[in-house]
């Protein structure tokens, strides 16, 4: 009897549990739709409600989504973005809709990784040589050789034709460059205080990324040699060369064979088509996998003494910091290295822009100086020049690399600067890290952009019904501008004329040169060099102080002023994007 009673109790318990689960399931199941009201057929019930527009909403207010979806970082697959057809095919192959779409959305809402690397602040000990400073003077590449210690190397008139041909092809005096050691010594342009900084040796490692397109051999290799010579080996993970579809023979097998001497430290990757400098840098970020930090250098640079530790220390302390070295000028003819002009009494300047979104350097303000405890510690800057900088690799990917719509070069310096500041990072200029950079010489024919790149919406001054444009050739502060083939790449051919009658490029104005004829470009403020007036119907630029007209020689590639003559075709110019004159 006890067995039967126990059996019955267990059966009742199981039955009750089953009924409870059944009721719970029915309560959670979606209810069937209610039938349509009487007098309304199925077609009318399923008919969509007409769009009443904003005024048909009555008193109902817009209800925003809370919280607002804040995108803090996006890891971008650059290839799939650039090749839209391939991306669409992959999406169609996955199919399945909702789950795949949810994964895509989830990938767009990534958060920045926290700072986990522990790094102590640098310490300034006046009079005590810093722990990263060389104990002996830098050895010469060739003792007593040309260009050592960055002294100017001037060739005689016998080399004139060869020099001009090399400048036309590469933009530099490659004849002199090829005679200078790839391991030459350089002068030390740092402030004396820089020698006494002591850095925690627990620095992040780096991949140095160098993009090139039809670069001269010795200028490219001197860039690589200088990095290897002046960077502590324990921190240099790799040097990644990105060949952006060069067609020069010396950049193919010869380059492959040459870099074998470094046993894999230096690598070269080649694009299958011309991507342009900006996208090639993003490709470089994907190829560079060994270093914790990405250091970008142009293909014609020389890093300075103890350049690495000051540049990487702020990033080791805060992974969302991007650093920029002070950029010195390497003369493209003699290879002498001098400080860049402009800036304050110490040569310090910040990167900025004007309302035309043109790059300019402005002296370090008193307000910013007062925030600093020492003269040579890094200082904040709104923007960078764009060519030379260091950034933590993961942080760069979290920012989305460069916008895939940016082509060739130009504008990327603002885009990456805005991303850094708006996403909680900071951009610092580092006075104790100096890198020399060669600027193109007059006569360079340039590298034409690929055919699939359209004209950029920039303002150019072009000879009327010709293919020649005014080009600054990268000159500033007294350099002479000239005439060159219109290359659609912006940059040195990007000008504007403002209401003050200033014909400008960045913070530089065009004006009459010292010889009274040729046109030079020099730094100016709002009250200087109000020299020009453009008459659109006449296609003429008038030099107001002299009453003469802007003229050109397409044979000599010169731009100058001469007596106005309405019959001279060389005095006719056109400007694109003219809104009103």
């Amino acid at each position: 009897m006890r067995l039967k009673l126990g059996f019955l109790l267990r059966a009742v318990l199981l039955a009750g549990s089953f009924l409870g689960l059944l009721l719970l399931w029915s309560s959670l199941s979606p209810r069937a739709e209610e039938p349509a009201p009487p007098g309304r057929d199925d077609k009318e019930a399923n008919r969509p409600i007409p769009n009443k527009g904003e005024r048909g909403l009555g008193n109902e207010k817009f209800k925003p989504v809370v919280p607002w979806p804040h995108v803090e970082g996006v890891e971008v697959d650059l290839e799939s973005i650039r090749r839209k057809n391939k991306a669409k095919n992959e999406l169609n192959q996955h199919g399945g809709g909702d789950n795949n779409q949810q994964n895509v959305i989830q990938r767009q809402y990534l958060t920045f990784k926290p700072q986990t690397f522990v790094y102590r602040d640098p310490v300034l000990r006046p009079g005590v040589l810093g722990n990263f400073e060389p104990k002996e003077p830098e050895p010469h590449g060739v003792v007593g050789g040309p260009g050592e210690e960055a002294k100017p190397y001037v060739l005689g008139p016998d080399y004139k034709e060869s020099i001009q041909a090399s400048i036309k092809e590469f933009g530099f005096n490659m004849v002199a460059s090829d005679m200078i050691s790839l391991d030459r010594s350089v002068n030390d342009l740092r402030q004396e205080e820089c020698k006494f900084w002591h850095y925690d040796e627990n620095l992040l490692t780096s991949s140095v990324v160098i993009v090139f397109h039809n670069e001269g051999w010795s200028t490219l290799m001197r860039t690589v040699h200088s990095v290897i010579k002046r960077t502590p080996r324990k921190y240099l993970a790799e040097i990644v060369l990105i060949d952006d579809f060069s067609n020069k023979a010396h950049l193919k097998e010869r380059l492959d064979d040459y870099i074998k001497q470094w046993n894999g430290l230096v690598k070269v990757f080649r694009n299958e088509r011309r991507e342009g400098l900006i996208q090639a840098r993003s490709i470089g970020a994907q190829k560079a996998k060994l270093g914790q930090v990405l250091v970008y250098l142009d293909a014609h640079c020389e890093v300075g003494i103890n350049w690495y530790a000051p540049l990487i220390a702020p990033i080791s302390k805060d992974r969302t910091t991007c650093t920029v070295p002070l950029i010195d000028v390497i003369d493209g003819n003699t290879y002498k290295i001098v400080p860049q002009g402009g800036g304050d009494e110490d040569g310090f300047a910040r990167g900025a822009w004007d309302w035309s979104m043109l790059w300019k350097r402005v002296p370090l303000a008193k307000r910013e100086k007062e925030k600093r405890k020492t003269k040579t510690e890094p200082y904040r800057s709104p923007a960078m020049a764009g060519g030379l900088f260091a950034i933590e690799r993961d942080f760069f990917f979290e920012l989305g690399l460069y916008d895939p719509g940016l082509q060739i070069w130009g504008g990327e310096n603002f885009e990456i600067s805005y991303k850094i500041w708006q996403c909680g990072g900071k951009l610092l200029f580092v006075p104790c890290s100096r890198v020399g950079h060669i600027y193109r010489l007059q006569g360079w024919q340039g590298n034409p952009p690929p055919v699939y790149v359209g004209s950029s919406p920039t303002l150019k001054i072009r000879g009327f019904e010709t293919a020649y444009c005014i080009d600054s050739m990268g000159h500033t502060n007294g350099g002479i501008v000239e005439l060159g083939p219109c290359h659609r790449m912006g940059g040195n051919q990007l000008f504007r004329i403002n209401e003050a009658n200033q014909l400008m490029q960045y913070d530089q104005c065009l004006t009459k040169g010292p010889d009274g004829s040729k046109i030079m470009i020099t730094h100016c403020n709002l009250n200087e060099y109000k020299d020009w007036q453009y008459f659109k119907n006449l296609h003429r630029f008038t030099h107001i102080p002299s009453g003469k007209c802007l003229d050109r020689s397409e044979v000599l590639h010169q731009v100058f002023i001469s007596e106005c003559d309405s019959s001279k075709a060389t005095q006719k110019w056109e400007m694109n994007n003219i809104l009103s004159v």
Side-chain angles (χ1 to χ4, degrees):
M1 186 65 181
R2 291 182 179 177
L3 289 175
K4 291 183 180 180
L5 183 59
F7 175 79
L8 290 173
L9 289 174
R10 283 194 297 271
V12 171
L13 182 61
L14 288 172
S17 300
F18 176 77
L19 290 174
L21 290 172
L22 185 63
L23 291 172
L24 179 61
W25 175 82
S26 63
S27 65
L28 293 176
S29 298
R31 297 181 180 180
E33 295 182 0
E34 294 182 0
R40 185 178 178 185
D41 59 18
D42 292 340
K43 292 183 180 180
E44 184 180 355
N46 294 329
R47 188 178 301 159
I49 300 175
N51 183 6
K52 297 181 180 180
E54 291 182 355
R55 297 188 181 277
L57 295 176
N59 295 326
E60 295 181 6
K61 296 182 178 180
F62 171 70
K63 297 180 180 179
V65 178
V66 179
W68 183 256
H70 179 62
V71 181
E72 294 184 295
V74 182
E75 184 166 342
V76 178
D77 182 348
L78 188 64
E79 293 298 319
S80 67
I81 291 177
R82 189 183 298 108
R83 296 174 172 85
K84 294 182 179 180
N85 291 333
K86 180 180 177 181
K88 290 180 180 179
N89 291 335
E90 291 177 350
L91 188 62
N92 292 334
Q93 289 175 1
H94 288 301
D98 294 341
N99 291 336
N100 184 64
Q101 182 66 20
Q102 185 175 0
N103 292 335
V104 172
I105 294 175
Q106 186 65 32
R107 287 175 57 193
Q108 296 178 355
Y109 293 87
L110 303 178
T111 56
F112 294 129
K113 295 194 305 186
Q115 175 76 26
T116 57
F117 195 79
V118 179
Y119 189 81
R120 297 192 301 271
D121 288 325
V123 178
L124 179 62
R125 298 173 183 169
V128 181
L129 194 66
N131 58 330
F132 278 83
E133 290 294 316
K135 303 300 185 289
E136 301 290 337
E138 183 177 62
H140 288 197
V142 175
V143 177
E148 293 294 339
E149 299 178 3
K151 294 178 181 178
Y153 184 50
V154 181
L155 295 175
D158 293 343
Y159 295 96
K160 182 177 180 180
E161 291 185 5
S162 299
I163 291 172
Q164 289 179 342
S166 70
I167 291 173
K168 181 178 180 180
E169 185 172 5
F170 297 107
F172 316 128
N173 179 356
M174 296 303 300
V175 180
S177 177
D178 291 346
M179 296 179 181
I180 297 173
S181 170
L182 300 180
D183 288 309
R184 74 160 176 171
S185 56
V186 297
N187 50 343
D188 191 350
L189 297 176
R190 299 175 298 166
Q191 298 277 340
E192 187 69 17
E193 183 181 275
C194 290
K195 300 178 182 179
F196 307 120
W197 281 102
H198 293 254
Y199 300 91
D200 185 347
E201 296 187 3
N202 190 30
L203 289 167
L204 295 173
T205 61
S206 292
S207 296
V208 177
V209 180
I210 302 170
V211 175
F212 65 90
H213 173 74
N214 286 343
E215 188 72 25
W217 175 263
S218 56
T219 50
L220 174 61
M221 287 299 100
R222 192 173 295 111
T223 305
V224 174
H225 277 252
S226 75
V227 171
I228 295 174
K229 182 178 183 179
R230 300 189 184 97
T231 307
R233 184 63 184 86
K234 63 184 289 188
Y235 304 115
L236 183 58
E238 59 186 343
I239 298 177
V240 175
L241 305 178
I242 303 296
D243 177 5
D244 193 24
F245 211 56
S246 300
N247 59 11
K248 304 292 185 185
H250 64 267
L251 299 173
K252 301 304 179 184
E253 290 185 11
R254 180 185 176 187
L255 178 59
D256 293 339
D257 291 339
Y258 188 83
I259 65 175
K260 290 178 182 177
Q261 64 179 299
W262 290 299
N263 299 317
L265 177 66
V266 182
K267 308 163 185 177
V268 61
F269 299 92
R270 291 189 167 87
N271 294 337
E272 295 180 356
R273 70 170 193 174
R274 180 86 185 278
E275 299 288 355
L277 176 62
I278 303 172
Q279 296 311 317
R281 283 183 185 160
S282 291
I283 293 171
Q286 295 177 330
K287 300 296 185 182
K289 301 180 183 297
L290 300 182
Q292 297 161 297
V293 173
L294 298 173
V295 179
Y296 284 94
L297 297 177
D298 280 345
H300 30 268
C301 292
E302 290 179 72
V303 300
I305 297 170
N306 192 15
W307 74 291
Y308 186 82
L311 190 70
I312 304 301
I315 302 174
S316 301
K317 181 69 176 180
D318 180 358
R319 65 180 297 269
T320 63
T321 295
C322 176
T323 55
V324 178
L326 259 60
I327 303 173
D328 298 314
V329 177
I330 304 176
D331 188 300
N333 192 38
T334 67
Y335 294 88
K336 177 183 179 181
I337 303 180
V338 297
Q340 190 171 176
D344 63 9
E345 64 276 9
D346 297 311
F348 298 163
R350 295 190 294 174
W353 60 90
D354 58 20
W355 289 113
S356 297
M357 299 303 295
L358 295 177
W359 163 261
K360 62 190 302 182
R361 296 175 76 242
V362 295
L364 194 61
K366 178 181 177 182
R367 174 182 172 185
E368 188 68 24
K369 292 179 181 179
E370 291 174 349
K371 295 180 179 180
R372 306 166 70 216
K373 298 178 181 178
T374 64
K375 177 184 287 189
T376 58
E377 68 185 61
Y379 57 88
R380 301 180 303 166
S381 176
M384 68 168 83
L388 288 64
F389 67 97
I391 189 169
E392 196 215 46
R393 184 179 188 274
D394 289 344
F395 181 55
F396 196 24
F397 275 85
E398 289 166 0
L399 292 176
L401 303 179
Y402 287 111
D403 189 302
L406 293 171
Q407 296 177 323
I408 309 300
W409 69 277
E412 84 285 356
N413 56 325
F414 296 137
E415 193 250 358
I416 189 62
S417 300
Y418 300 157
K419 281 183 179 179
I420 291 167
W421 283 112
Q422 290 181 314
C423 293
K426 56 186 173 183
L427 181 61
L428 300 180
F429 281 17
V430 184
C432 291
S433 179
R434 303 188 79 123
V435 178
H437 177 270
I438 312 176
Y439 294 90
R440 304 285 182 182
L441 293 175
Q442 300 179 34
W444 180 51
Q445 294 297 309
N447 294 316
V451 295
Y452 52 83
V453 176
S455 298
S456 58
T458 55
L459 187 153
K460 300 181 182 70
I461 306 173
R462 185 174 68 177
F464 184 64
E465 295 183 346
T466 74
Y468 289 93
C469 289
I470 295 181
D471 196 315
S472 72
M473 309 305 295
H475 297 158
T476 59
N477 301 317
I480 301 298
V481 303
E482 68 177 68
L483 203 67
C486 301
H487 52 53
R488 300 184 300 166
M489 294 167 65
N492 297 335
Q493 292 185 357
L494 189 154
F495 293 88
R496 74 189 188 283
I497 187 167
N498 60 22
E499 293 181 353
N501 295 321
Q502 293 174 310
L503 193 53
M504 302 186 71
Q505 181 176 97
Y506 307 124
D507 60 349
Q508 307 277 316
C509 285
L510 298 189
T511 188
K512 181 175 64 175
D515 68 348
S517 174
K518 291 182 181 178
I519 303 302
M520 75 173 186
I521 185 168
T522 187
H523 182 272
C524 59
N525 59 41
L526 292 176
N527 298 314
E528 294 180 300
Y529 306 118
K530 301 179 179 181
D531 291 356
W532 303 97
Q533 188 170 5
Y534 180 64
F535 297 92
K536 185 177 181 180
N537 58 330
L538 299 176
H539 301 287
R540 174 185 292 176
F541 275 100
T542 300
H543 183 247
I544 298 172
S546 67
K548 296 182 178 181
C549 288
L550 188 65
D551 206 338
R552 66 186 181 275
S553 169
E554 295 175 6
V555 176
L556 300 176
H557 300 282
Q558 292 180 351
V559 183
F560 50 90
I561 55 174
S562 64
E563 296 295 334
C564 295
D565 184 346
S566 59
S567 65
K568 290 187 70 174
T570 55
Q571 290 185 357
K572 292 185 177 182
W573 304 86
E574 58 185 347
M575 301 180 75
N576 64 334
N577 289 3
I578 293 291
L579 299 181
S580 61
V581 175

